[in-house]
Amino acid sequence: MTDRAFTESLNRLEGLRANWDFDKLKQVIDDGPPILKELGLADAAATKQMLDSEPGQLEAAGHSPVQLEAIVRAVGRPPLLVRNGQVEGKTQLGADFAQGTDIKITNIEPLIPSVGRIEFRNHDMTWGGTGWVIDEEDDGSLLVITNRHVAKLVARRTFLGDGVFMFGPGNIQYGAAIDFLEEVETSEDDSRTVRIQKFTYIADDISADVALARIDKPGDGLAVTPLPRAEADAENGEMIAVIGYPASDGSRNDRTQMERYFQGLYDVKRFAPGFVQVADDASRLGHDATTLGGNSGSPVISLDSGNVVGLHFAGRFGIGNSAVRVSTLTGLLDDGAAGDVHPSAGGPTEAPEGHEADHFAGREGYDAEFLQVVPVPLPKLSDRIPLTAPSDATPERPFELRYQHFSVLYGGAVKGPLLTALNVDGEQTKRVKRGSTRWRKDLRIPAEQQLDKAAYGHADIDRGHLVRRAITNWGETHETAKRANKDTFHYTVASPQHQGFNQNHQTWLGLEDYIMDNVRTHGFRANVFTGPIFTGHEPPLGDTGAPVPLEYFKLVTMLAEAPEEDGILRLHATAYVLSQGQLIHGMLSDRGHVEAVEGFAFGEYKTFQVRISDLEAATGHDFGQLRDFDPLARADGTEAGEALAVTIWDLENIRL
C-alpha cells in the first residue's frame, strides 16, 4: 500500500470515528451480520477491538487501516448477496438504516428478477455490466437499459443513434445477452438468459451514459417485467438500493481494500443499500451504496416508493457514485430512444437553387402496371429510417417523389434516397447527350434535408446516380426522353459514393442492358428498384450528418417467356448487391458458417447476385410476391434457409 493511500485511509477513518460511526457499528457487530462471515471475521470481539483502537495505532496492534476501513464499509453499506431472489442479511443492517428497512427490502424483492448481467458473445470479455428491463414494446418485446460504455464494448453507435454489433478478430461478429440469474452458488440456467436482438439506442459521447437494447419477452417461467419508474427525481437523503453485479475493478480501486471487502466473491447479483446524495446544484444524482465496475447499468431504486430513481454509471469504491436521473431516462423514452431516434435535419442554409413543385407538374412517376400483365408495386421499406413526404404527395402515393419514368422514396434523416423505382421501355430508347446539366435541389423536400455541391466537395466522393441516366432516356418523343434525363440531375436522386465504387462500373451498370438483351421479355419492358443498404457501419460524409453507403442493391423485374410452358409469360425477378463483402459476410455469419466467415476477405467492390429473400433480411424491406419469382431461389442445391450468393465476375455469370 502506498504512503498516499495509507494516509487517505487514516484520514477517512478519523472522520468516521469523529462522527460516532464506530459506536453504531459495534451494535451491528453484536448481531453477527452475514457480511462479517463473508469477510472472514467470525470473531466479533476481535473486530470490536479493532474499532476501539486509534486509527494511527492499528499497525502496532497487528491490524492495518485498510482492513478496518473494509470492515467499516462492509457493515455500514453492505453489498448484500442475493440468493433465490431474496436478499440475505437484510435484518442485520447498520444503525444508519431505520427500523423496518428489512420490510421495505422484502417489498421490492419481486423486482430483483428483472435485473440481469450483460454478457457478451465472441468477445474476450465474458460480460461487461448490469442491465434491467425498463419498458415493454407494443409488439410484446422488452427494452433493457444499461450504460453506453457497456454497450460500446461490443457495438458502435450509428448515424441514426442506434447500435450495430462490431466484428472482432477473425471477422466474427460480437453479440450480447442478458442473464437474469447469476446469483451466488447457483448452477447455470440457459432459460434465464435472453439474447439481445439489437441496441436500439446508444447515446453519443456528450449525452447521458445510456444505452437501450431490445429482447424477446421470455416465457412464462421467467417473471421479468419493466421496473416501475419514479415520476419525480430523488431527493437528498432518500434511502435507495443498487441491484447489480460488482466485478473486480482494480484499475479504479485499491485492490487490497477491494479484496478484503469482497473476499474474491465477485460477478454475482448483490443488493447494496445506501442513500441519495444530490449535489448542491441538483445537476447530478449521487449515492453512497457500495458498487464496483460491474455495477455499470444498475438500477437505483427508492426503498420508500419501490420505484427506480436512477441508472448507476460511475463511482469509486467507498467514496461516491453517480447515476443518470430518472427524469432523463423518461425523457429519452418519450423522445423515441426505443428505436426511433434520428439526427436533426441541421441548421439554416442559404437559399437553395432548385425546382419547386410546379416544375414537376404532370410527372406520373413509377408505374406499377408497367409490365401490363402483372402489377409490380413499390416495396414496403423498413421503418428504421423514416420516409420524408414531398409537398405534392397524394393520399394514394404519400411518399413518392414523382419524376419522368421513375419515383424516389427519400429519407431526410440520411439526406438521400432510400429507393428509386424505374420503368424501362427498351423499344422506345432515345439517344440523349448528357450535356452540361446542372445538379439542383428538389424543393418538394426541405432543402436542409438534401446534400449540395459543397457536400460533394471531397475528391474521393462522387454524386452517384441511383437512377441510371442513360436508361431513363426513352419515350414516344425526344422531349419526353430529355425530360427524364434532366430529372436525374436532382440531389434527391443521388447518393454519395466513394470513387472505389466505380471500379465495378461495367458489371453493375450493365445489368439492365444484359438482362434485357438475354431474356425474351414482353415488349422489352422492365422495372428496376435500386437503393443503398444501411447497416450502421457507414462512415459519415464530413459534417453533413449524412452517411456514405458502402453497399447498394438492384432488383430487376420483367415478364419472361417460359419455354417449357409454350411461351407463357411469367414474372421474373432477380436481385443484385454491389458490395465489398459486408452483406455476404453477414449472411454467412447469421447462419453460423464459421469457417467461411473467419477466412472472409473484404476487398474491392464486387457484384453479387443474391436471393430476394436474403436481400429482404438484410435491408428489412418487403418485396412482396417478387421473392416467389426468383430463379436463384429455385437453383438446384439450395437448402431451405441457406444464403446463396453468386459472385458476378462477368455478366454471363448471372443466373436467369
Side-chain angles (χ1 to χ4, degrees):
M1 186 176 184
T2 64
D3 292 340
R4 179 180 177 183
F6 181 89
T7 302
E8 289 180 349
S9 184
L10 279 178
N11 290 337
R12 286 193 290 267
L13 285 173
E14 292 288 2
L16 292 169
R17 186 181 181 88
N19 290 332
W20 303 97
D21 286 341
F22 285 9
D23 292 335
K24 298 175 184 176
L25 292 175
K26 289 178 184 177
Q27 298 175 19
V28 177
I29 288 171
D30 287 336
D31 294 332
I35 193 71
L36 289 180
K37 294 180 181 179
E38 200 175 321
L39 287 167
L41 298 170
D43 189 343
T47 304
K48 291 171 69 175
Q49 183 182 10
M50 292 177 63
L51 291 170
D52 287 333
S53 301
E54 292 289 336
Q57 300 175 353
L58 284 168
E59 292 282 305
H63 306 294
S64 71
V66 173
Q67 185 179 12
L68 179 57
E69 193 177 356
I71 296 171
V72 172
R73 290 176 177 173
V75 177
R77 296 291 183 273
L80 305 174
L81 286 170
V82 175
R83 195 188 305 267
N84 297 322
Q86 297 182 331
V87 179
E88 295 187 340
K90 60 189 173 186
T91 61
Q92 296 164 305
L93 297 173
D96 285 348
F97 298 96
Q99 187 174 3
T101 299
D102 59 321
I103 297 175
K104 293 180 178 181
I105 293 175
T106 299
N107 290 338
I108 66 172
E109 282 179 340
L111 304 182
I112 292 176
S114 295
V115 180
R117 201 173 73 172
I118 302 296
E119 301 182 342
F120 300 145
R121 301 290 182 264
N122 304 323
H123 198 279
D124 55 2
M125 292 177 61
T126 304
W127 67 285
T130 301
W132 46 281
V133 179
I134 190 172
D135 206 357
E136 183 171 351
E137 298 279 66
D138 292 339
D139 63 1
S141 60
L142 299 177
L143 282 179
V144 169
I145 191 168
T146 186
N147 290 147
R148 169 188 57 227
H149 70 265
V150 173
K152 289 182 74 172
L153 293 171
V154 293
R156 61 176 289 273
R157 175 183 166 91
T158 78
F159 55 88
L160 291 175
D162 61 356
V164 292
F165 288 112
M166 299 181 293
F167 290 88
N171 285 333
I172 302 296
Q173 192 169 31
Y174 294 141
I178 180 167
D179 184 343
F180 289 105
L181 188 60
E182 285 299 335
E183 297 176 359
V184 64
E185 297 178 357
T186 53
S187 57
E188 189 172 333
D189 184 353
D190 291 340
S191 68
R192 302 288 293 271
T193 301
V194 184
R195 182 180 69 89
I196 288 176
Q197 298 173 0
K198 68 168 295 181
F199 286 99
T200 62
Y201 172 75
I202 299 179
D204 59 38
D205 292 339
I206 61 173
S207 300
D209 194 349
V210 177
L212 290 167
R214 181 175 289 119
I215 64 172
D216 287 332
K217 191 171 185 178
D220 295 336
L222 186 55
V224 173
T225 57
L227 300 188
R229 282 174 279 129
E231 295 183 358
D233 288 326
E235 298 181 358
N236 192 49
E238 189 170 346
M239 188 163 54
I240 52 88
V242 174
I243 305 174
Y245 297 82
S248 180
D249 189 14
S251 62
R252 289 183 295 177
N253 303 294
D254 183 272
R255 185 170 294 279
T256 302
Q257 294 184 41
M258 194 172 59
E259 287 296 327
R260 287 184 183 275
Y261 195 14
F262 284 88
Q263 294 292 295
L265 188 54
Y266 302 109
D267 308 346
V268 294
K269 189 178 288 189
R270 289 181 181 264
F271 186 102
F275 296 89
V276 169
Q277 299 172 324
V278 178
D280 292 339
D281 61 1
S283 62
R284 179 182 66 85
L285 177 68
H287 66 86
D288 63 2
T290 297
T291 64
L292 292 177
N295 281 107
S296 294
S298 295
V300 181
I301 302 175
S302 168
L303 289 182
D304 293 321
S305 68
N307 296 324
V308 172
V309 295
L311 173 75
H312 174 83
F313 70 88
R316 291 190 62 191
F317 173 58
I319 297 175
N321 303 277
S322 297
V324 180
R325 311 170 78 86
V326 69
S327 57
T328 301
L329 305 181
T330 299
L332 278 172
L333 292 174
D334 290 345
D335 289 342
D340 192 27
V341 174
H342 304 289
S344 61
T349 60
E350 61 183 60
E353 180 180 7
H355 289 132
E356 301 285 353
D358 56 2
H359 173 82
F360 302 97
R363 308 287 206 280
E364 296 185 357
Y366 173 78
D367 181 3
E369 304 289 340
F370 186 69
L371 297 185
Q372 299 176 339
V373 176
V374 61
V376 181
L378 291 176
K380 181 180 179 182
L381 299 194
S382 165
D383 59 4
R384 184 181 178 213
I385 302 173
L387 294 172
T388 301
S391 61
D392 62 351
T394 67
E396 297 78 18
R397 306 171 83 168
F399 295 107
E400 279 187 63
L401 281 166
R402 300 186 300 279
Y403 298 97
Q404 187 68 49
H405 303 325
F406 68 93
S407 292
V408 172
L409 300 181
Y410 194 81
V414 296
K415 297 186 176 181
L418 301 179
L419 179 88
T420 62
L422 168 68
N423 301 131
V424 182
D425 188 338
E427 287 191 335
Q428 295 192 43
T429 298
K430 304 289 190 296
R431 288 187 60 84
V432 178
K433 292 183 179 180
R434 180 185 179 97
S436 58
T437 304
R438 298 177 62 183
W439 286 84
R440 299 174 185 270
K441 291 192 175 185
D442 183 338
L443 300 182
R444 293 177 292 178
I445 295 291
E448 63 270 18
Q449 293 186 15
Q450 301 177 53
L451 298 176
D452 54 20
K453 182 178 180 180
Y456 286 100
H458 196 284
D460 291 339
I461 300 297
D462 297 331
R463 282 173 292 209
H465 277 95
L466 286 202
V467 172
R468 187 181 171 197
R469 180 195 67 82
I471 208 166
T472 66
N473 299 167
W474 62 270
E476 293 183 359
T477 67
H478 275 278
E479 287 304 314
T480 299
K482 288 180 181 179
R483 185 161 56 245
N485 181 77
K486 290 183 178 180
D487 278 358
T488 66
F489 287 93
H490 286 91
Y491 284 106
T492 48
V493 187
S495 182
Q497 295 174 351
H498 192 273
Q499 62 177 2
F501 183 95
N502 292 324
Q503 296 175 3
N504 197 272
H505 189 277
Q506 180 179 358
T507 52
W508 179 247
L509 297 184
L511 283 171
E512 299 99 319
D513 290 340
Y514 180 84
I515 292 172
M516 287 192 296
D517 288 345
N518 289 273
V519 177
R520 294 184 61 195
T521 65
H522 178 63
F524 288 93
R525 290 190 170 204
N527 302 318
V528 182
F529 297 147
T530 306
I533 300 174
F534 289 114
T535 64
H537 293 282
E538 292 76 22
L541 179 60
D543 58 359
T544 64
V548 179
L550 299 177
E551 300 175 298
Y552 293 85
F553 73 87
K554 194 185 294 288
L555 195 156
V556 182
T557 60
M558 63 192 68
L559 293 174
E561 295 181 355
E564 69 277 10
E565 298 181 4
D566 297 326
I568 296 176
L569 291 172
R570 299 289 188 190
L571 188 62
H572 179 281
T574 49
Y576 310 88
V577 170
L578 181 65
S579 171
Q580 290 177 298
Q582 292 91 336
L583 181 77
I584 309 305
H585 179 276
M587 290 179 182
L588 295 170
S589 179
D590 289 344
R591 287 162 175 80
H593 292 261
V594 178
E595 292 181 0
V597 170
E598 285 184 338
F600 202 92
F602 297 101
E604 65 181 25
Y605 280 97
K606 300 183 182 72
T607 300
F608 299 89
Q609 183 177 357
V610 300
R611 297 190 311 177
I612 294 174
S613 58
D614 287 327
L615 180 63
E616 289 180 312
T619 61
H621 303 336
D622 182 356
F623 291 101
Q625 65 172 340
L626 299 184
R627 72 181 75 90
D628 300 325
F629 298 93
D630 179 2
L632 192 60
R634 299 192 300 270
D636 293 339
T638 303
E639 299 178 6
E642 185 85 2
L644 179 61
V646 177
T647 304
I648 306 300
W649 300 104
D650 186 276
L651 291 172
E652 293 183 357
N653 295 133
I654 295 175
R655 295 193 185 182
L656 300 176

